[in-house]
Amino acid sequence: EHRRRGGVLEHPAGSHEVMSQDFIDPVFWQPLRKTKPFSDDMVFSHDILFSPFARFVDKRDIVSWWLQKHQPCVFGRIAAAKGWMHYCILTDQDLQRSDQYLAELVNRELLHWKRRSLRPTPDFSTPAHGFMLLVTSQRVAFASPDNNLLDFAHAILRLIAKEGVAPVHWQTLYLAHPREARCLRFRFTVDYFGAQADGRWWHDHRVPGGIAFTANSVGHMRWYADWYEQPRKSDWILRQAMQTIANSADTQYGKATWLKSLPDTGLPVVRRLAFPFDSRSSLNPVLRDKDWTRYGGFLHTDHSVREEFFNESPSPDGIDFQSWLQDFTYLYDPKSDDHTRFVAGEECAYSEAVAEIGDPEEYADIETPRIQADSSLDERPPPLRSIFEQCQGWQLYPEEVEEMLK
């Protein structure tokens, strides 16, 4: 009951930039949770993430399960289910340490992520097309979405964005061909999620535990399939991207992003691009009469930290909204400016990747996570077993994942 009504644990004040005295002062805890508790899935996840008995593997698994069930992004759901997501989890204890300590911890995990994804042959490593930096803290989860939390989010983002704070932040991932002397470089944007989104107009950007930054490369996922597994249909990325937007939460305030219906002419916004699918009947019915070139939104999906998220009101009232016309074409159109760096990949010398992340022949270790690590309830800490038992149904069945990959 204490947890549901917004009660928090007392913690000593931080003394460095990332955790300021203002941020942890109880006056800044959001009043919304006193009247509108977190959703049950968030509460169950918090029971694990805030537990003193939880190990890293427990926290990683509960977040992975939650993503598979409760996130609209199809690519993220697949990555979580297949073990293709790399997690860096910061705790309240970590936040009491110096900024240098946090930066070293985060950059070490970024390096592990890039290394396991460079040459992911079955006998070497499991790739991670996505990365999640998750701050798990009761103080952060219950904090008001105000300027204090905005400053905190910028401070966390600076740990992974060396170029400083800007509207759009980028990450880079490399993929080497398993047999040929080829290497592709992918550039893609970093996105923000927060527990504060639960029950607000930006509900799709919620995450249990606190706040998170994610980076997910659909190009790396696509070329990994082509080079290391089984090539997928040419329209696979577009179909899953459109399905992601179709999955957006229909809150009491409406949708934050939405597919655009085709006009009577049947022509999309970008008229030069013909219908890119085999047939309409091959599509999910919710996609058949939708524009395949543009979609709408009250948030821009490329922006990393959006100031419109940092508002106490759960509704969009009082926020100066503009409707964005957002792009699908970069996913499949070679003429799009972003197609190469996001999806097709930029040809680069293998030596360039080695210069940034090191030579695989010299790695002392490589992370190869077990997808079903500690899946048995008997292997969970006793105080957490009943919670995991309630949450294990969030996992996707293998056949569900395979259907998404078709």
Side-chain angles (χ1 to χ4, degrees), residues 168-215:
V168 180
H169 293 268
W170 300 85
Q171 276 294 327
T172 304
L173 206 57
Y174 297 93
L175 181 67
H177 195 282
R179 295 173 299 278
E180 302 172 10
R182 296 182 60 193
C183 189
L184 292 176
R185 178 181 61 243
F186 303 92
R187 291 263 291 166
F188 42 97
T189 53
V190 174
D191 205 356
Y192 173 84
F193 294 80
Q196 290 72 20
D198 188 60
R200 285 185 161 88
W201 68 269
W202 48 291
H203 187 81
D204 289 330
H205 276 257
R206 67 190 182 127
V207 70
I211 67 170
F213 286 98
T214 66

Side-chain angles (χ1 to χ4, degrees), residues 229-373:
E229 293 188 324
Q230 183 73 26
R232 301 196 177 98
K233 293 181 179 178
S234 59
D235 64 1
W236 178 78
I237 291 179
L238 176 60
R239 280 190 290 110
Q240 302 311 331
M242 292 182 68
Q243 188 63 54
T244 293
I245 302 303
N247 291 344
S248 63
D250 194 2
T251 73
Q252 67 184 94
Y253 315 108
K255 284 176 171 281
T257 57
W258 57 88
L259 293 173
K260 296 184 67 63
S261 295
L262 292 169
D264 293 339
T265 62
L267 296 174
V269 171
V270 183
R271 296 188 172 188
R272 66 177 177 81
L273 292 174
F275 186 71
F277 306 104
D278 293 338
S279 66
R280 294 189 186 278
S281 61
S282 67
L283 292 174
N284 186 319
V286 302
L287 308 182
R288 290 176 185 172
D289 64 344
K290 303 303 181 184
D291 194 318
W292 54 88
T293 66
R294 294 288 189 270
Y295 65 99
F298 286 131
L299 56 90
H300 196 296
T301 51
D302 283 345
H303 290 174
S304 297
V305 180
R306 305 165 182 85
E307 293 194 4
E308 60 265 32
F309 286 177
F310 297 86
N311 185 292
E312 181 59 52
S313 173
S315 76
D317 296 341
I319 301 175
D320 185 18
F321 268 91
Q322 65 182 98
S323 178
W324 296 90
L325 268 178
Q326 301 183 89
D327 188 26
F328 279 135
T329 67
Y330 77 95
L331 296 171
Y332 60 95
D333 179 18
K335 294 182 180 179
S336 171
D337 293 339
D338 286 332
H339 179 71
T340 297
R341 59 181 173 182
F342 273 94
V343 179
E346 300 168 304
E347 293 277 352
C348 67
Y350 185 72
S351 58
E352 177 183 330
V354 168
E356 180 178 337
I357 65 176
D359 189 337
E361 296 183 7
E362 298 178 0
Y363 294 168
D365 63 347
I366 190 76
E367 181 169 330
T368 308
R370 294 177 293 157
I371 297 176
Q372 298 296 333

Side-chain angles (χ1 to χ4, degrees), residues 22-136:
D22 285 344
F23 176 73
I24 66 170
D25 193 309
V27 74
F28 294 108
W29 293 332
Q30 56 176 313
L32 178 67
R33 297 306 166 207
K34 297 177 181 178
T35 57
K36 187 177 180 60
F38 280 118
S39 304
D40 285 345
D41 57 281
M42 297 282 282
V43 173
F44 288 136
S45 300
H46 289 168
D47 284 339
I48 303 296
L49 294 173
F50 301 151
S51 171
F53 303 102
R55 305 160 298 169
F56 172 82
V57 68
D58 300 317
K59 296 179 180 182
R60 184 204 66 193
D61 285 356
I62 201 66
V63 172
S64 172
W65 295 5
W66 185 88
L67 289 171
Q68 293 174 56
K69 175 68 175 180
H70 300 289
Q71 246 301 306
C73 178
V74 177
F75 303 109
R77 297 178 70 198
I78 292 171
K82 295 283 287 184
W84 291 343
M85 185 75 75
H86 191 91
Y87 301 94
C88 176
I89 300 178
L90 303 181
T91 66
D92 243 334
Q93 289 72 28
D94 293 321
L95 296 178
Q96 302 305 314
R97 307 286 292 271
S98 68
D99 285 1
Q100 180 180 350
Y101 169 86
L102 292 174
E104 289 175 353
L105 190 159
V106 170
N107 282 283
R108 182 171 67 247
E109 291 306 321
L110 283 169
L111 182 60
H112 285 320
W113 168 49
K114 295 171 186 286
R115 284 183 168 182
R116 61 179 279 201
S117 302
L118 171 62
R119 200 175 69 180
T121 54
D123 59 339
F124 188 68
S125 70
T126 302
H129 313 298
F131 178 86
M132 173 180 279
L133 170 59
L134 176 64
V135 177
T136 59

